[in-house]
Amino acid sequence: QVRLVESGGGSVQAGGSLKLSCAASGYIFSSCGMGWYRQAPGKERELVSSISTDGTTNYADSVKGRFTISQENAKNTLYLQMSTLKTEDTAVYYCATDLGCTYYRFGWEYKTTTQFWGQGTQVTVSS
């Protein structure tokens, strides 16, 4: 069973930093890309950053130069280093897999056909 668990959220003053972690299990971590999303109150969920299987990273314009996505395959963990935080970064942050992640069940190889999401972690930035 694919499972994602975020941690590292909290409250911080503007200009501060936080590092989010997403511990993954139940599939081959390196077999698919992953992303960090966020949803602020009253707004739609948006993609903050993504990393592909070859390590290519992408960032929303609003976080470029301030956020860094990374992963540690040996620990099956995705990270989001957030620096120079702004009040508008306040949101619930979610990690999610891409489609097509490899997993094994009873000796058979499968590919996921849907995204999997963590439960989210709250980030609150105060002025």
Side-chain angles (χ1 to χ4, degrees), residues 2 26-28 31 101-105 108-112:
V2 176
Y27 69 103
I28 306 301
S31 68
C101 303
T102 301
Y103 66 100
Y104 294 89
R105 292 293 181 270
W108 293 93
E109 180 179 305
Y110 296 89
K111 297 284 188 180
T112 58

Side-chain angles (χ1 to χ4, degrees), residues 35-47:
W36 285 99
Y37 296 74
R38 67 186 181 187
Q39 187 166 21
K43 295 187 177 181
E44 293 188 354
R45 189 173 298 188
E46 63 172 348
L47 177 64

Side-chain angles (χ1 to χ4, degrees), residues 4 7 30 32-33 49 56 96 127:
L4 303 176
S7 62
S30 58
C32 57
S49 181
T56 300
S127 57

